[in-house]
Amino acid sequence: MFPINRTRPAVNFLRGATALAAVPLLLVACSSTDSTPAPARAADAVTIQNQWIKAADSDMSAAFGELANTGDKTLTVVSATSPASARVELHEVVADASGTKTMRPKKGGFVIPPRGSHALAPGADHIMFMGLNGPLRTGSETRVTLSFDDGSTMTFTAQVRDFPGNQENYVPDGDHQAGAPAPAPAPGA
């Protein structure tokens, strides 16, 4: 006959109880702990980095930087304002068939994808200052306020820097006709 091992059932019972006790801990560890709600306003989900403005004595200038969307839905910048300028527009630069670059207002604004970014750069999309209220001197800072399609706004400060600049033609309505004389290059963007 075999001896009866009375400790074996107790060991099996302890193993089973330990496994059952671990299940709730595993469920908690595997669940999402991020209960932070998504930003309700577009402005709360957008940041800007490496922002700067081109130095200018008069007329036009432009602001650049990297807009980032930390949210889960597409956001759109629809307009901008600044105390530095009488008028501020959102611009894009496009090339025609001959390669001539033209700066024009960007229809629909700047779209920032979810968890993505939108670059504002010389020779590309930028924030255009038209009718400067005074010189923008290197080293000074200027405030810019962005408005989003949900009505929210965010304000950032950008440093003024020297930049030799791109020379694009400016077409105010974005409908420059082929064969028509192009406007003079804009010194700002």
Coordinates of all heavy atoms in Angstrom, one line a residue, residues 55-110:
A55 N 12.4 89.5 -38.7 CA 12.6 90.9 -38.4 C 12.3 91.7 -39.6 O 12.5 91.3 -40.8 CB 14.1 91.2 -38.0
A56 N 11.6 92.9 -39.5 CA 11.2 93.7 -40.6 C 11.1 95.2 -40.0 O 10.7 95.4 -38.9 CB 9.9 93.3 -41.2
D57 N 11.4 96.1 -40.9 CA 11.2 97.5 -40.5 C 9.8 98.0 -40.8 O 9.3 98.8 -40.0 CB 12.2 98.4 -41.3 CG 13.6 98.2 -40.9 OD1 13.8 98.0 -39.7 OD2 14.5 98.3 -41.8
S58 N 9.2 97.5 -41.8 CA 7.8 98.0 -42.2 C 7.1 97.0 -43.1 O 7.7 96.0 -43.5 CB 7.9 99.4 -42.8 OG 8.6 99.3 -44.0
D59 N 5.9 97.3 -43.5 CA 5.2 96.5 -44.5 C 4.8 95.1 -43.9 O 3.8 95.0 -43.3 CB 5.9 96.4 -45.8 CG 6.1 97.7 -46.5 OD1 5.2 98.6 -46.3 OD2 7.1 97.9 -47.1
M60 N 5.5 94.1 -44.3 CA 5.1 92.7 -44.0 C 6.2 91.9 -43.3 O 7.4 92.2 -43.3 CB 4.9 92.0 -45.3 CG 3.7 92.5 -46.1 SD 3.4 91.3 -47.4 CE 3.1 92.4 -48.8
S61 N 5.8 90.9 -42.6 CA 6.6 89.9 -41.9 C 5.9 88.7 -41.8 O 4.7 88.6 -42.2 CB 7.1 90.4 -40.5 OG 8.0 89.5 -40.0
A62 N 6.5 87.6 -41.2 CA 5.8 86.4 -41.0 C 6.2 85.6 -39.8 O 7.4 85.8 -39.3 CB 6.0 85.5 -42.3
A63 N 5.4 84.8 -39.2 CA 5.7 84.0 -38.1 C 5.7 82.5 -38.5 O 5.0 82.1 -39.4 CB 4.6 84.1 -37.0
F64 N 6.6 81.8 -37.8 CA 6.9 80.4 -38.1 C 7.0 79.6 -36.9 O 7.1 80.1 -35.8 CB 8.2 80.2 -38.9 CG 8.3 81.2 -40.1 CD1 9.0 82.4 -40.0 CD2 7.6 80.9 -41.3 CE1 9.1 83.3 -41.0 CE2 7.7 81.8 -42.3 CZ 8.5 83.0 -42.2
G65 N 6.9 78.3 -37.0 CA 7.0 77.4 -35.8 C 6.4 76.0 -36.1 O 6.1 75.7 -37.3
E66 N 6.3 75.2 -35.1 CA 5.7 73.8 -35.3 C 4.5 73.7 -34.4 O 4.6 73.7 -33.2 CB 6.8 72.8 -34.9 CG 6.3 71.4 -35.1 CD 6.5 70.9 -36.6 OE1 7.2 71.6 -37.4 OE2 5.9 69.9 -36.9
L67 N 3.3 73.6 -35.0 CA 2.1 73.4 -34.3 C 1.9 71.9 -34.0 O 2.0 71.1 -34.9 CB 0.9 74.0 -35.0 CG 0.8 75.5 -35.3 CD1 -0.2 75.8 -36.3 CD2 0.6 76.2 -34.0
A68 N 1.6 71.6 -32.8 CA 1.4 70.1 -32.4 C 0.0 70.0 -31.8 O -0.4 70.8 -31.0 CB 2.4 69.7 -31.5
N69 N -0.7 68.9 -32.2 CA -2.0 68.6 -31.7 C -1.9 67.4 -30.8 O -1.5 66.3 -31.2 CB -2.9 68.2 -32.9 CG -4.3 67.8 -32.5 OD1 -4.6 67.6 -31.3 ND2 -5.2 67.6 -33.4
T70 N -2.1 67.5 -29.5 CA -2.0 66.4 -28.5 C -3.3 65.7 -28.4 O -3.4 64.7 -27.7 CB -1.6 67.0 -27.1 OG1 -2.6 67.9 -26.7 CG2 -0.3 67.7 -27.2
G71 N -4.4 66.1 -29.1 CA -5.7 65.5 -29.0 C -5.9 64.4 -30.0 O -5.0 64.0 -30.8
D72 N -7.1 63.8 -29.9 CA -7.5 62.7 -30.7 C -8.4 63.0 -31.9 O -8.9 62.2 -32.6 CB -8.3 61.6 -29.9 CG -7.3 61.0 -28.9 OD1 -6.1 60.9 -29.1 OD2 -7.8 60.7 -27.8
K73 N -8.6 64.3 -32.2 CA -9.4 64.7 -33.4 C -8.6 65.8 -34.1 O -7.8 66.6 -33.6 CB -10.8 65.1 -33.0 CG -10.9 66.3 -32.0 CD -12.3 66.5 -31.6 CE -12.4 67.7 -30.7 NZ -13.8 68.0 -30.3
T74 N -9.0 65.9 -35.4 CA -8.4 66.9 -36.3 C -8.8 68.3 -35.8 O -10.0 68.6 -35.5 CB -8.8 66.7 -37.7 OG1 -8.4 65.4 -38.1 CG2 -8.3 67.8 -38.7
L75 N -7.8 69.3 -35.8 CA -8.1 70.6 -35.4 C -7.7 71.6 -36.5 O -6.7 71.3 -37.2 CB -7.3 71.0 -34.1 CG -7.5 70.0 -32.9 CD1 -6.6 70.4 -31.8 CD2 -9.0 70.1 -32.5
T76 N -8.4 72.7 -36.6 CA -8.1 73.7 -37.6 C -7.9 75.1 -37.1 O -8.8 75.6 -36.4 CB -9.2 73.7 -38.7 OG1 -9.4 72.3 -39.2 CG2 -8.9 74.6 -39.9
V77 N -6.8 75.7 -37.4 CA -6.5 77.1 -37.1 C -7.2 77.9 -38.3 O -6.9 77.7 -39.4 CB -5.0 77.4 -37.1 CG1 -4.8 78.9 -36.8 CG2 -4.3 76.6 -36.0
V78 N -8.1 78.8 -37.9 CA -8.9 79.5 -39.0 C -8.5 81.0 -39.1 O -8.7 81.6 -40.2 CB -10.4 79.4 -38.7 CG1 -10.8 78.0 -38.9 CG2 -10.8 80.0 -37.4
S79 N -7.8 81.5 -38.1 CA -7.3 82.9 -38.2 C -6.3 83.2 -37.1 O -6.1 82.4 -36.2 CB -8.5 83.9 -38.1 OG -9.1 83.8 -36.8
A80 N -5.7 84.4 -37.2 CA -4.7 84.8 -36.2 C -4.8 86.3 -36.1 O -5.2 87.0 -37.1 CB -3.3 84.4 -36.7
T81 N -4.3 86.8 -35.0 CA -4.2 88.3 -34.8 C -2.9 88.5 -34.0 O -2.3 87.6 -33.4 CB -5.4 88.8 -33.9 OG1 -5.4 88.2 -32.7 CG2 -6.7 88.7 -34.6
S82 N -2.4 89.8 -34.1 CA -1.2 90.2 -33.3 C -1.3 91.7 -33.2 O -1.6 92.4 -34.1 CB 0.0 89.7 -34.1 OG 1.2 90.2 -33.4
P83 N -0.8 92.2 -32.0 CA -0.7 93.6 -31.9 C 0.4 94.2 -32.8 O 0.4 95.4 -32.9 CB -0.4 93.8 -30.4 CG 0.2 92.5 -29.9 CD -0.4 91.5 -30.8
A84 N 1.2 93.4 -33.4 CA 2.3 93.9 -34.2 C 1.8 94.3 -35.6 O 2.6 95.0 -36.3 CB 3.4 92.8 -34.4
S85 N 0.6 94.0 -36.0 CA 0.2 94.2 -37.3 C -1.3 94.5 -37.4 O -2.1 94.0 -36.7 CB 0.4 92.9 -38.1 OG 0.1 93.0 -39.5
A86 N -1.6 95.4 -38.4 CA -3.0 95.7 -38.7 C -3.8 94.6 -39.2 O -5.0 94.4 -38.9 CB -3.1 96.9 -39.7
R87 N -3.2 93.7 -39.9 CA -3.9 92.5 -40.5 C -2.9 91.3 -40.4 O -1.8 91.4 -40.7 CB -4.2 92.8 -42.0 CG -5.2 91.9 -42.6 CD -5.8 92.3 -43.9 NE -5.0 91.8 -45.0 CZ -4.6 92.4 -46.1 NH1 -5.0 93.7 -46.2 NH2 -3.9 91.8 -47.0
V88 N -3.5 90.2 -40.1 CA -2.8 88.9 -40.0 C -3.6 87.9 -40.8 O -4.8 87.8 -40.7 CB -2.6 88.5 -38.6 CG1 -1.8 87.1 -38.5 CG2 -1.9 89.5 -37.7
E89 N -2.9 87.1 -41.7 CA -3.5 86.1 -42.5 C -2.7 84.8 -42.4 O -1.5 84.8 -42.2 CB -3.5 86.6 -44.0 CG -4.4 87.8 -44.3 CD -4.4 88.2 -45.7 OE1 -3.7 87.6 -46.5 OE2 -5.2 89.1 -46.1
L90 N -3.4 83.7 -42.6 CA -2.8 82.4 -42.7 C -2.5 82.2 -44.2 O -3.4 82.3 -45.0 CB -3.8 81.3 -42.2 CG -4.4 81.5 -40.8 CD1 -5.3 80.4 -40.5 CD2 -3.3 81.7 -39.8
H91 N -1.2 81.9 -44.5 CA -0.8 81.8 -45.9 C -0.1 80.5 -46.2 O 0.4 79.8 -45.3 CB 0.3 82.9 -46.1 CG -0.3 84.2 -46.4 ND1 0.4 85.3 -47.0 CD2 -1.5 84.7 -46.3 CE1 -0.3 86.3 -47.1 NE2 -1.5 86.0 -46.7
E92 N -0.1 80.2 -47.5 CA 0.6 79.1 -48.0 C 1.4 79.6 -49.2 O 1.2 80.7 -49.7 CB -0.4 78.0 -48.5 CG -1.3 78.4 -49.7 CD -2.2 77.3 -50.2 OE1 -2.1 76.2 -49.8 OE2 -3.2 77.7 -50.9
V93 N 2.4 78.8 -49.6 CA 3.2 79.1 -50.8 C 3.1 78.0 -51.7 O 3.3 76.8 -51.4 CB 4.7 79.3 -50.4 CG1 5.5 79.6 -51.6 CG2 4.8 80.5 -49.4
V94 N 2.7 78.3 -53.0 CA 2.5 77.3 -54.0 C 3.4 77.7 -55.2 O 3.6 78.8 -55.5 CB 1.0 77.1 -54.4 CG1 0.2 76.6 -53.3 CG2 0.5 78.4 -54.9
A95 N 3.8 76.7 -56.0 CA 4.6 76.9 -57.2 C 3.7 76.6 -58.4 O 2.9 75.7 -58.4 CB 5.8 76.0 -57.2
D96 N 3.8 77.5 -59.4 CA 3.1 77.3 -60.6 C 3.9 76.4 -61.6 O 4.9 75.8 -61.2 CB 2.7 78.6 -61.3 CG 3.9 79.4 -61.8 OD1 5.0 78.8 -61.9 OD2 3.7 80.6 -62.1
A97 N 3.4 76.1 -62.8 CA 4.0 75.2 -63.7 C 5.5 75.6 -64.0 O 6.3 74.7 -64.3 CB 3.2 75.1 -65.0
S98 N 5.8 76.9 -64.0 CA 7.1 77.3 -64.3 C 8.0 77.3 -63.1 O 9.2 77.6 -63.2 CB 7.1 78.7 -64.9 OG 6.7 79.7 -63.9
G99 N 7.5 77.0 -61.9 CA 8.3 77.0 -60.7 C 8.2 78.3 -59.9 O 8.9 78.3 -58.9
T100 N 7.5 79.3 -60.4 CA 7.4 80.5 -59.7 C 6.6 80.3 -58.5 O 5.5 79.8 -58.5 CB 6.8 81.6 -60.6 OG1 7.6 81.8 -61.8 CG2 6.7 82.9 -59.8
K101 N 7.1 80.7 -57.3 CA 6.4 80.6 -56.1 C 5.5 81.8 -55.8 O 5.9 82.9 -56.0 CB 7.3 80.4 -54.9 CG 8.1 79.1 -54.9 CD 8.9 78.9 -53.7 CE 9.6 77.6 -53.6 NZ 10.4 77.4 -52.4
T102 N 4.3 81.4 -55.4 CA 3.3 82.5 -55.1 C 2.7 82.2 -53.7 O 2.4 81.1 -53.3 CB 2.1 82.4 -56.1 OG1 2.6 82.6 -57.4 CG2 1.1 83.4 -55.8
M103 N 2.7 83.3 -52.9 CA 2.2 83.3 -51.6 C 0.7 83.8 -51.6 O 0.4 84.7 -52.3 CB 3.0 84.2 -50.7 CG 2.5 84.4 -49.3 SD 3.6 85.5 -48.3 CE 3.8 86.9 -49.3
R104 N -0.2 83.0 -50.9 CA -1.6 83.4 -51.0 C -2.3 83.0 -49.7 O -1.7 82.1 -49.0 CB -2.3 82.8 -52.2 CG -2.3 81.3 -52.1 CD -2.9 80.7 -53.4 NE -3.0 79.2 -53.2 CZ -3.2 78.4 -54.2 NH1 -3.3 78.9 -55.4 NH2 -3.3 77.1 -54.0
P105 N -3.4 83.5 -49.4 CA -4.2 83.1 -48.2 C -4.5 81.6 -48.3 O -4.8 81.1 -49.4 CB -5.5 83.9 -48.2 CG -5.1 85.2 -49.0 CD -4.1 84.7 -50.0
K106 N -4.4 80.9 -47.2 CA -4.7 79.4 -47.2 C -6.1 79.2 -47.0 O -6.6 79.4 -45.8 CB -3.8 78.7 -46.2 CG -4.1 77.2 -46.1 CD -2.9 76.5 -46.0 CE -3.2 75.0 -46.0 NZ -2.1 74.2 -46.4
K107 N -6.8 78.8 -48.0 CA -8.3 78.5 -47.8 C -8.5 77.3 -46.9 O -7.8 76.3 -47.0 CB -8.9 78.1 -49.2 CG -8.9 79.3 -50.1 CD -9.6 79.0 -51.4 CE -9.5 80.3 -52.3 NZ -10.0 80.1 -53.6
G108 N -9.4 77.5 -45.9 CA -9.6 76.4 -44.9 C -8.7 76.4 -43.7 O -9.0 75.7 -42.8
G109 N -7.7 77.2 -43.7 CA -6.8 77.3 -42.6 C -5.8 76.2 -42.5 O -5.5 75.5 -43.4
F110 N -5.1 76.2 -41.3 CA -4.1 75.2 -41.1 C -4.7 74.0 -40.4 O -5.2 74.1 -39.2 CB -3.0 75.7 -40.2 CG -2.2 76.9 -40.8 CD1 -1.8 77.9 -40.0 CD2 -2.0 77.0 -42.2 CE1 -1.1 79.0 -40.5 CE2 -1.4 78.1 -42.7 CZ -0.9 79.1 -41.8

